Amino acid sequence: MTDILFVCVHNASRSQMAAALLKHHGFGRVTVRSAGCEPADEINPLVAGALAEWDVDISGEVPSQVTYEDVAAADVVITMGCKTYPVAEGPRYVEWVVPNPEHEGITGIRPLRDDMDRRVRELLSSLVDERSPRTAVRL
């Protein structure tokens, strides 16, 4: 099973959103984790609210510090704004340029949620295609 690690600065918005959406769409086909290089104390409540509108619940998540072990265990590490994180040989590294919603209201977070949803669906589709092109599931 492919292991995906999302890393952003505070692990309170972008990486949590991406991880939750990939888990939601992945139906157990991938392992998904998230972490931050400077974790916040709690999840951004507006991000949690925007995901809850789609019945995706991150209210129980807690921001965590990215570790070398997290990175080394991943097949793909997707970073979003985090410039200082441990690097290990093996994972594929991808940078997603995604604005930080820290100071956005809910109307600013919804477009980010929609963009993140598109990104994770494309990621999942590409992972399924890489593993078994004949039986790829299109989302």
Side-chain angles (χ1 to χ4, degrees):
M1 189 176 305
T2 303
D3 190 301
I4 309 296
L5 174 64
F6 292 101
V7 180
C8 71
V9 178
H10 300 299
N11 190 223
S13 298
R14 295 172 288 184
S15 58
Q16 291 282 354
M17 185 182 297
L21 289 167
L22 188 54
K23 286 176 191 174
H24 177 75
H25 295 304
F27 302 111
R29 294 178 284 179
V30 292
T31 301
V32 184
R33 295 172 294 118
S34 71
C37 39
E38 298 173 18
D41 293 329
E42 62 186 15
I43 299 296
N44 181 327
L46 295 176
V47 168
L51 288 172
E53 292 174 352
W54 288 3
D55 294 324
V56 176
D57 183 12
I58 64 168
S59 62
E61 298 297 328
V62 176
S64 64
Q65 177 72 46
V66 64
T67 66
Y68 176 83
E69 291 76 18
D70 292 331
V71 174
D75 296 303
V76 180
V77 176
I78 299 175
T79 61
M80 294 173 264
C82 186
K83 301 300 180 198
T84 57
Y85 57 90
V87 176
E89 286 191 37
R92 180 174 68 182
Y93 294 87
V94 178
E95 172 73 18
W96 283 359
V97 178
V98 179
N100 186 344
E102 186 175 341
H103 302 292
E104 296 287 333
I106 191 69
T107 57
I109 290 175
R110 286 182 181 125
L112 175 61
R113 174 201 58 199
D114 298 350
D115 178 54
M116 195 69 73
D117 186 62
R118 178 193 56 79
R119 288 172 187 260
V120 299
R121 286 173 181 261
E122 288 175 1
L123 173 65
L124 183 59
S125 181
S126 74
L127 293 172
V128 172
D129 283 351
E130 288 173 7
R131 299 188 91 190
S132 181
R134 292 185 198 173
T135 59
V137 176
R138 292 285 177 193
L139 297 174

